Amino acid sequence: MSLVVDRVSKRFGSVLALDDASFSVEAGAIFGLLGANGAGKTTCMRIVLDILRPDSGSVTWNGQPNTALPRRTWGYLPEERGLYPKMRVEEQLRFLASLYGVSDADARREITDWLERFRIPDYRNRKVEELSKGNQQKIQFIAAILHDPDILIMDEPFSGLDPLNVRLLKEAFLAMRERGKTLIFSTHQMETVEELCEAIAIIDRGRVVLHGLVRDVKRAMGRRVVRLATDGDGAFLAELEKLDALRGLTVGARRADFVELQLPADLDPETILRAALERGQRITRFEIAEPSLEEIFVEHVGRRAIDEEEGHLATSAGGGDIE
Amino acid sequence: MTGLMPNAGHVARREYLVRVRGRTFRITTLLLAVAVLVFTLLPTLLRGAGVTGDPPQIALDVQADDLASDPVAAIRDALAASGAAGPLVTRAEDPSDAADAVRGGSLDGLLTISRGPDGDLTFEYLSSQGPASVERLLVTQAATSLAVSDRLAAAGIDSAQSAVLFRPPAFVSTSADPDAPDDDRYGEALVVAYFLVILTFMAIITYGNWVAQSVAEEKSNRVMELLITAATPQQLLTGKVLGTGAAGLTQYAAIIAAVAVGMIANGPVSNLLGLRGEAAFRLPSLELWMLPAFAVFFTLGFVLYSTLYAASGSMVSRIEDVQQAAGPLIFVSIAGYFVSFTALNDADAGWVALLSLVPFFSPYLMPMRMLLTSVSAPEILVALGILVVTLVAAIWLASRIYSAGVLMYGQRVGVRTLLRAARVSR
């Protein structure tokens, strides 16, 4: 039981949006699709949804090609949110559900249920344009799941939500997984991925540069991280780097109240603890961790993508292009 | 590929309801119906207004006293024939007083009849009204017939004989073609043909544009991506055309009902206003099979155009750009409209017969030809066949353009880009 994207390529004019991309998602998992803007995430999602056909490659769900699957297999939350602004919430949702063949009675029941879950039961008969952005997004999410799809694909579901609504949406994610659904979403918020996803794929310029279980991905990085905080000014840290016993250690940038040390895989973290104690330091924090997804992402996609992204964000006030 | 139903039905239903519930739709429909009702009643109302005003008063200053017929009766009869009740025609007792009365507006006209040096009658008409007045035209006509009978009398032909001279001959015209429309109903057939051409044109221009607008709107507010995930382009396209078409027909029903009310009301209204009966509008002699044929040509024509309108709507990202994208279509539909108007005056011409087979023109021209000339059944079927084949091709092309176009934003979408993208989309 899994979704398999197999060697998918797609070209738009001179741009190779997807280049031989492959990854798989276990049924019932929450899966993170990561990549800088313009990396090919949206194209990938559209191809999985079969609203775009790839130039080559295939997508299968439990061995069946996606082109043969009924439409109601899929739930989709597009990056560009879109609802009919002048239609009332319930009427709109019932219309969208009817396209998936959901009976009106079922649709009404589910709408009631979800509006309550999102704490907006009074908005049933309001026009969408009268709702706040966050609430419109909740309606958009309900629109994506009313027909009870097996696979839910969401493009940046958390963008533009306040922390309270982020929490509500995360709860909804978990509720969907309880029901045995498979969830795939893209985001730039790495903490969210760490919190929710079992597995990820990182796409860079159309290529899948990394994919697998989050745990395996972190182990495969071949190093660990020690977060260390002491009473003193931390001058001893410079000495640590020079010790033979700690060869390969790099001292990262100073954070708010701790320092992150990168360790090669063969270095025992306790050596650091001992070395620090030997230099008379009072340790207030010592934490052995795996590298964060953010570090992994930066390492694989590189500074280039981040620079480009910042440039992109600064200039992309208007409409995007076909990603 | 999945079937069209039930999703096309859901889309059509939403489209129809949103359109019909809209304030713009209600207001325009109401205004159109009222306007059409007023226009149908206008001639009667105007004539009524003319009657309820002062009856025309005309004074005659007859200086030639040896006239063959009574000039007062001749002028009065001529004015009465126009439907104006109770024209007052008198002999002026004092011509200069009468002339002052005309200038002062209390008298409508003063006609001076005298005999010229060559013995012929001469007329001078002093009128309080402009050259375009009907009254003046009628007085001119009456004067002409007075002059003619006067000349005949001079030539020794008396009034009884001249009446015989001017009686129209027995003239019976029979068309060699038994299907040709009756001569006496040709005028009415022409009116109906006009009406059909205008209805078809308005439907294409207005409701076709609605379809394009609505597609572009879904693209610009980004609902399209949700829709295209839930339903196939064919379902969306079909639903859109059907729903908008149904809304258009609803508006048409209101307009046609207003015309019917107006035509029925014409009789009672003119009685109420005391107008003398004039021949009411009669429907031309139609054969019953023509009505479904008109409906079929109208529907297919509308669907053909509006399918392509939908495709053009899917090529733009903003509603403001719709007109530009639909430009070629608007051009073709206007061309069809003008061609039909030229053809109305020459319905038997060979070029009309030829163009009535061409798909984008046949919805205009074929019903018109059926009304005005006789068209053979095979000819109608060929036109219909070509239209259907074109329609199928247009639907195929439009759903390709649509499925590629709806996901393209920002860039200028050329037809080549679309077709390339269309090859690989579902």
Side-chain angles (χ1 to χ4, degrees), chain B residues 87-123:
Chain B
L88 284 175
V89 182
T90 49
R91 283 183 186 252
E93 284 167 15
D94 182 346
S96 65
D97 280 359
D100 287 342
V102 172
R103 289 190 191 95
S106 59
L107 199 62
D108 289 306
L110 171 66
L111 184 68
T112 311
I113 308 175
S114 53
R115 202 168 284 285
D118 56 350
D120 212 8
L121 285 180
T122 59
F123 299 87

Side-chain angles (χ1 to χ4, degrees), chain A residues 201-277:
Chain A
I202 296 178
I203 299 185
D204 183 33
R205 287 188 274 186
R207 283 188 306 276
V208 174
V209 291
L210 188 70
H211 93 277
L213 294 175
V214 171
R215 182 175 17 122
D216 295 346
V217 164
K218 288 188 170 183
R219 287 213 183 119
M221 288 296 282
R223 57 183 168 78
R224 274 182 292 178
V225 169
V226 165
R227 298 195 183 114
L228 184 70
T230 61
D231 268 1
D233 58 3
F236 76 100
L237 288 168
E239 294 172 38
L240 290 186
E241 271 185 307
K242 294 179 190 116
L243 289 177
D244 266 357
L246 297 178
R247 191 181 300 280
L249 176 82
T250 47
V251 178
R254 186 173 292 269
R255 305 297 173 96
D257 59 349
F258 64 90
V259 175
E260 222 170 62
L261 309 169
Q262 310 276 347
L263 281 68
D266 57 349
L267 189 69
D268 185 353
E270 279 188 33
T271 330
I272 296 174
L273 186 61
R274 244 178 283 124
L277 288 172

Side-chain angles (χ1 to χ4, degrees), chain A residues 50 53 71 76 84 91, chain B residues 21 218 225 229 424 426:
Chain A
D50 191 34
R53 289 270 159 94
R71 299 308 311 162
Y76 183 35
Y84 292 105
E91 197 184 3
Chain B
R21 278 189 209 150
E218 278 172 359
E225 206 162 337
T229 311
V424 285
R426 82 187 155 98

Side-chain angles (χ1 to χ4, degrees), chain A residues 70-304:
Chain A
R71 299 308 311 162
R72 63 182 298 173
T73 313
W74 313 98
Y76 183 35
L77 182 81
E79 181 182 14
E80 297 281 351
R81 314 286 186 256
L83 294 166
Y84 292 105
K86 309 245 179 248
M87 266 178 104
R88 297 182 191 283
V89 167
E90 185 185 351
E91 197 184 3
Q92 173 137 228
L93 290 173
R94 277 164 56 198
F95 165 66
L96 290 169
S98 76
L99 291 181
Y100 286 105
V102 179
S103 78
D104 218 38
D106 286 353
R108 281 166 193 265
R109 204 185 49 240
E110 284 284 299
I111 291 167
T112 310
D113 185 41
W114 279 102
L115 288 179
E116 265 163 24
R117 207 184 277 248
F118 281 135
R119 299 175 196 167
I120 45 173
D122 305 339
Y123 290 175
R124 207 182 181 103
N125 288 315
R126 292 273 282 276
K127 285 184 181 168
V128 167
E129 63 186 356
E130 296 166 357
L131 268 52
S132 72
K133 261 227 145 81
N135 285 331
Q136 286 187 18
Q137 198 151 329
K138 292 179 192 168
I139 304 302
Q140 192 93 48
F141 178 80
I142 298 174
I145 55 165
L146 261 188
H147 55 288
D148 198 28
D150 288 338
I151 310 163
L152 187 52
I153 296 185
M154 292 165 287
D155 212 348
E156 302 284 347
F158 296 102
S159 75
L161 287 182
D162 65 37
L164 199 69
N165 283 329
V166 166
R167 170 89 0 234
L168 284 174
L169 193 58
K170 283 178 181 170
E171 281 165 13
F173 273 34
L174 297 174
M176 290 301 283
R177 190 178 56 180
E178 296 272 290
R179 295 193 194 177
K181 308 300 179 188
T182 307
L183 286 80
I184 300 173
F185 71 98
S186 70
T187 182
H188 294 298
Q189 297 170 355
M190 295 301 161
E191 318 84 74
T192 312
V193 180
E194 303 246 15
E195 186 183 338
L196 294 172
C197 296
E198 282 106 352
I200 56 160
I202 296 178
I203 299 185
D204 183 33
R205 287 188 274 186
R207 283 188 306 276
V208 174
V209 291
L210 188 70
H211 93 277
L213 294 175
V214 171
R215 182 175 17 122
D216 295 346
V217 164
K218 288 188 170 183
R219 287 213 183 119
M221 288 296 282
R223 57 183 168 78
R224 274 182 292 178
V225 169
V226 165
R227 298 195 183 114
L228 184 70
T230 61
D231 268 1
D233 58 3
F236 76 100
L237 288 168
E239 294 172 38
L240 290 186
E241 271 185 307
K242 294 179 190 116
L243 289 177
D244 266 357
L246 297 178
R247 191 181 300 280
L249 176 82
T250 47
V251 178
R254 186 173 292 269
R255 305 297 173 96
D257 59 349
F258 64 90
V259 175
E260 222 170 62
L261 309 169
Q262 310 276 347
L263 281 68
D266 57 349
L267 189 69
D268 185 353
E270 279 188 33
T271 330
I272 296 174
L273 186 61
R274 244 178 283 124
L277 288 172
E278 276 164 20
R279 278 159 188 75
Q281 300 293 322
R282 280 180 55 90
I283 310 247
T284 55
R285 178 173 179 181
F286 182 82
E287 182 186 341
I288 303 170
E290 283 169 328
S292 69
L293 277 178
E294 190 178 334
E295 283 168 66
I296 296 174
F297 182 81
V298 169
E299 200 165 306
H300 277 86
V301 174
R303 276 308 300 178
R304 173 199 63 79

Side-chain angles (χ1 to χ4, degrees), chain B residues 299-312:
Chain B
T299 310
L300 291 182
F302 171 74
V303 172
L304 173 63
Y305 274 97
S306 53
T307 303
L308 293 174
Y309 265 105
S312 68

Side-chain angles (χ1 to χ4, degrees), chain B residues 37-59:
Chain B
L37 185 63
V38 168
F39 271 113
T40 339
L41 287 175
L42 203 58
T44 311
L45 291 176
L46 285 180
R47 282 175 53 216
V51 166
T52 48
D54 295 332
Q57 291 187 32
I58 290 174

